[in-house]
Every structure is written in structure tokens, then in C-alpha cells.
Amino acid sequence: MKNQLKHQLRVVKSSTSVLVKKMTSVDAATMTHANGDAKIAQSAKLVVKTPKGTRDHNPHQMSLRDPVFEKIKAIFKRFGAPCIDTPVFELKEILTGKYGEESKLIYDLEDQGGEKLSLRYDLTVPFARYLAMNKITNFKRYQISKVYRRDNPAMTRGRFREFYQCDFDIAGKYDTMIADSECVAIIASILKALGLPDFTIKINHRLILDGIFDVCGVPVDKFRTVCSSVDKLDKSPWEEVRKEITEQKGIAEEVADKIGKYVKLNGGKELIDELLENEELNRSTSGKQGLEEMKLLLQYCDFLNVSQNVVFDLSLARGLDYYTGVIYEAVLKATVVENGKNVGIGSVAGGGRYDNLVGMFDPKGKPVPCVGVSIGVERIFAYLEANAATKPRTTETQVLVCSAQKNLLEPKMKIVTELREADISAEILYKANPKILAQLQYGEENQIPLAIVIGNSEIENNVVKVKNIATREEEEIPRERLIEEIKERLKKI
């Protein structure tokens, strides 16, 4: 019995020894593999950059951007719109089939949680989905959010793959052209408020374009694709657009030449009167209706005092499929330098009427007439950044609290807290004993208007020195009158 127990113990020890050896060898292999992965990771060069068509914004750029957003928001509110927000991605089927040839620029996401998703291409389709989902038939709103497009970026001209749009839309059935003229007035108000140089708001009508295509002999099923080609006239000469229409879209050359005679025209009320008398165009019911509505729109633009910036331009087509009526686009005449050349900023706003989009999301197909405008702020920022005359302030700090001697952190913290509680923006340097020169230099570099300087003598006498950092003038004031004096001085600066 005793011998049998000894034998069993030897077997257990032997098995344990083998198991330990195996575990050790596995651990060693795992460590070797991990070390190998680490070496591979170290050897691979990490490219540290933003994705193509995107960029970071530094404090100087943000100090230009924030006031622009605030001005745009203020004008949207002035025209009576509340704000909404929608998800940055939508169900893929929501976006599919709404943008025509532009659909190829939509970013699709991997299937996540059983849903096929896409990043929003604009703010208009999500707004239409919002209206249909919530069964809203009369609504006015604004939204300022990012959108995403797989476009070829031109960074200096504000053409990105991730960018902000500032949208204003009016949903509901109203009398002809009143809401549409409001959108034109919003574009003009925003561009004027931002102090931009000469701009033109081009306007046209999809029914006029459809009438032109009809009388020129374009098949109905090719109206939208030809419209997409005509939309390129702001970037390409007619010869190139004509080639695309005939060779890629399969339109006969004589039909393309007829289209060319119309889409080269632009003007005002006189052009509309001329086209209304055009026998060929008068054969089209849609063309005639579009011209009459356009004449009414120009009249309302007169009433709203924006007609001086408006031109009726038949080359404007807007490539997106969902437009059904008036379309418009604001073009900035200014330029920026790109690769040593002056390049036009181009379109900075666009929009139009889209009466059928909401109905696409309604189970019964119930339409909700809509019209809206989108401000392309990235191009505006590109111009403002290129033409900024002075280095902008990156903070709103009004007062820098400084110490002239060591061991004064506690009184500095108490003063800065007192200022902040009085709604005065104030800072201290994050060092216990900073040099006075370094503190004042920080104030100069960050364009802080005032400095409060304290030393042992000031504390003993219950006073502080208030210094104008720009002029270097300083004055001693009683400690108990600190807040009152600072507020008075800030009013004068």
C-alpha cells in the first residue's frame, strides 16, 4: 500500500513537471510573438496627419470662425427660425436616390448593429426625413452642422471633405414666391453682415430649364442628367459641357446647340419679358409657369431691397435631383492665392425649392412644399483667413493678475476669483513665482488689455496697480474699489 502511494506521487510530480515546462514554453512563445509585434509596430512608420480633405483649426483660425457663426446664427434668428439638430449619419436608404450623379460622393459606413449607414451629404435630406418622421407640415428652422463628401478637395478655396453648412429652410404651403424671396434676402443679409466684397446671387427656375430642355428636344428621362451637365458651366466653358452632353449623355449635337443658345443668357426683368414672348419657349407649359414665377420673385426682391445683388442666370442648374422650382447660388467675386495664382472663391451659398422631397419619406407620399438656403461657410473662411489684416485675439481674457515678488500666489488666486465672480474674464500664470517680465510679456502676446500688479507693499497698503498693457500706463487704486474700477476701464477700451 505504501509503495503504491509512492508510485502515484511520482506520477503526479512527473505530470506536473511536464505541464510546467509546457506552460513555460507557451509563455515564452507568447512573449516572443509580442516582442515581434512590438518590433514590427516600431519599424512601421506612423503617418501623423489629418485625413485628406480635412484639417485642424488653430486658435487664430477659430477666433475668425466663431464670430462668423454667431453673425449667421443671429440673422437666422432675426428671420424667425428656431434651431434643430440631426444625426451625423443616416440610414443609407434615406440618402440613396436623392442627389442624382452627386450620390457617388456619399460616404458609406460599415454595417453597424444591423443597419447600413451613410454620413450625411447635406442638411436638406435629413431635414426632410425629420419633417416626415414627425408629421410636420409647417415649420421654419436653421441648423449649423458638419457634412461629408468624397470630393476632390481644394483646401485654399474652402473645398473640403468635412465641412460646415449653415442651413435655413421654410416648410409649408404658402403663396407663390414669398418664402423663396425670404431665402434670397437671407443670403444677401449674411454676406453683407460678414463684410464681404462684391457678390452676385444667381437665380433660375427648374421649370424654366425643363421647358428649355423640352422645346430643344431632350427626352424627359434625361432632363436631370442634362441639368447636371449644365450645372458645370460655372467651372467649365460651354464647349466642354456640350461635349459631355453629346458624348456621355447621348444627346444629339443639334439639340445641344439649341440648349447652348438659352443657357448662355443672363439678365433681369427685361430678359424674362423677352423669354415670355419667345414663341418656342411659350409652347412649354412648365417653362411659361417658371418665367411668371421668376418675374414675381424679382418683384419681391425689389421690395426686400436685395435686387441690386440678384441676376437671372439661365446657366444656373444646381445638380441635385430634389430641386423642383426656384434655385439660387451666391458667388463671391473675390480671389485667393493658390499655387501662386489668383483663384476665384466661387459659390458661397446655394439652395432652392424642393416640394417633393418630404413626400419620399411619407408612407402615403404626402408632399410638404419646402424652400431653403445653405451658406457654404468654409469658402467664406478661406477668404477671411487669407485677408485678415491683423492677428486676431485667440482668447477673451480681459485682465491678467500679476505678482511683482515671490510667495504671492494666494492673494493672486483670491483676486482672480473675485474678478471671475464679477463676470470679468481673468487669468494668472500657472507658476508659483513667475517673473514679472514673463507675466507682462504673456499679456502682450495674447493682447490682454489690463494687468493687475501686486507686491508686498500693495498688500500692506491695501491697494493694487492697474496697468494698461498696450500703453504701459499704470495707476494705483484702492483694493476695495477693484471691481468697479476694472469695469469702468474695460468700457473705455
Side-chain angles (χ1 to χ4, degrees), residues 177 180 204-210 290 293-294 317-318 322-328 351-355 370-371:
M177 294 295 110
D180 308 69
N204 199 3
H205 202 299
R206 273 290 174 84
L207 292 181
I208 297 174
L209 286 170
D210 288 350
E293 289 185 1
M294 184 61 61
R318 303 289 292 168
Y322 53 63
Y323 289 122
T324 58
V326 167
I327 49 178
Y328 32 74
R353 176 160 288 280
Y354 52 101
D355 288 347
C370 294
V371 64

Side-chain angles (χ1 to χ4, degrees), residues 17-28:
S17 176
V18 170
L19 182 60
V20 169
K21 285 179 180 178
K22 285 182 177 179
M23 289 176 68
T24 304
S25 64
V26 169
D27 288 345

Side-chain angles (χ1 to χ4, degrees), residues 384-428:
L384 293 177
E385 287 172 19
N387 292 276
T390 58
K391 188 177 179 181
R393 286 191 68 189
T394 58
T395 72
E396 295 185 11
T397 305
Q398 297 167 301
V399 181
L400 180 66
V401 182
C402 307
S403 54
Q405 292 157 321
K406 292 183 178 180
N407 303 319
L408 295 177
L409 182 59
E410 181 183 345
K412 277 200 304 181
M413 284 185 163
K414 287 182 177 178
I415 291 173
V416 82
T417 301
E418 187 180 339
L419 290 165
R420 289 168 179 168
E421 288 176 351
D423 202 27
I424 297 169
S425 178
E427 280 188 78
I428 58 171

Side-chain angles (χ1 to χ4, degrees), residues 8 137 152 186 190 229 238 473:
Q8 287 176 351
T137 56
N152 290 321
I186 284 171
I190 287 173
S229 296
W238 167 248
E473 296 174 355

Side-chain angles (χ1 to χ4, degrees), residues 94-358:
I94 294 290
L95 305 183
T96 301
K98 312 300 187 301
Y99 301 105
E101 293 180 12
E102 299 294 304
S103 293
K104 63 182 181 292
L105 303 180
I106 294 174
Y107 272 107
D108 290 331
L109 303 176
E110 291 292 328
D111 185 357
Q112 297 290 331
E115 292 184 331
K116 291 183 178 179
L117 307 171
S118 297
L119 291 176
R120 62 188 174 202
Y121 176 89
D122 65 6
L123 301 178
T124 306
V125 171
F127 174 59
R129 187 266 307 153
Y130 175 89
L131 293 175
M133 193 176 81
N134 294 286
K135 302 188 183 307
I136 299 170
T137 56
N138 287 76
F139 191 49
K140 181 161 53 176
R141 79 85 167 90
Y142 78 87
Q143 182 176 353
I144 298 176
S145 301
K146 286 183 176 180
V147 298
Y148 299 85
R149 298 183 184 180
R150 293 171 51 201
D151 210 345
N152 290 321
M155 310 288 273
T156 54
R157 279 181 286 161
R159 192 181 183 95
F160 299 93
R161 289 181 167 181
E162 176 194 60
F163 56 95
Y164 274 98
Q165 280 190 339
C166 305
D167 278 24
F168 179 101
D169 291 84
I170 302 169
K173 191 172 182 180
Y174 302 105
D175 289 342
T176 306
M177 294 295 110
I178 297 176
D180 308 69
S181 63
E182 277 277 275
C183 290
V184 177
I186 284 171
I187 297 174
S189 297
I190 287 173
L191 297 183
K192 288 175 183 176
L194 296 177
L196 296 172
D198 293 342
F199 62 88
T200 299
I201 302 173
K202 299 178 181 180
I203 58 174
N204 199 3
H205 202 299
R206 273 290 174 84
L207 292 181
I208 297 174
L209 286 170
D210 288 350
I212 290 170
F213 298 153
D214 182 24
V215 300
C216 289
V218 177
V220 175
D221 62 342
K222 292 194 175 183
F223 277 13
R224 292 287 76 84
T225 187
V226 172
C227 196
S228 180
S229 296
V230 172
D231 187 51
K232 297 174 183 176
L233 280 170
D234 62 333
K235 304 179 189 72
S236 306
W238 167 248
E239 290 71 25
E240 290 182 19
V241 172
R242 181 185 183 279
K243 187 177 181 181
E244 181 178 307
I245 290 173
T246 55
E247 295 183 6
Q248 295 181 28
K249 307 297 173 69
I251 302 299
E253 291 187 357
E254 59 272 19
V255 172
D257 290 336
K258 286 182 181 179
I259 295 170
K261 290 178 182 177
Y262 284 105
V263 297
K264 294 175 185 177
L265 300 174
N266 63 72
K269 294 176 185 176
E270 300 80 11
L271 177 59
I272 292 175
D273 291 336
E274 183 183 324
L275 291 173
L276 280 169
E277 294 174 6
N278 183 302
E279 290 185 12
E280 185 180 49
L281 200 53
N282 262 291
R283 291 201 303 268
S284 168
T285 304
S286 65
K288 190 173 182 180
Q289 180 187 337
L291 287 167
E292 288 170 349
E293 289 185 1
M294 184 61 61
K295 189 172 185 177
L296 190 59
L297 176 63
L298 287 177
Q299 183 182 346
Y300 291 160
C301 286
D302 271 341
F303 298 161
L304 294 169
N305 196 30
V306 294
S307 58
Q308 65 272 20
N309 296 109
V310 173
V311 60
F312 173 41
D313 192 327
L314 284 167
S315 70
L316 177 64
R318 303 289 292 168
L320 302 179
D321 276 5
Y322 53 63
Y323 289 122
T324 58
V326 167
I327 49 178
Y328 32 74
E329 185 170 275
V331 178
L332 200 63
K333 297 176 183 177
T335 62
V336 292
V337 178
E338 184 176 302
N339 298 324
K341 297 179 180 178
N342 285 328
V343 180
I345 292 289
S347 174
V348 293
R353 176 160 288 280
Y354 52 101
D355 288 347
N356 300 328
L357 190 55
V358 178

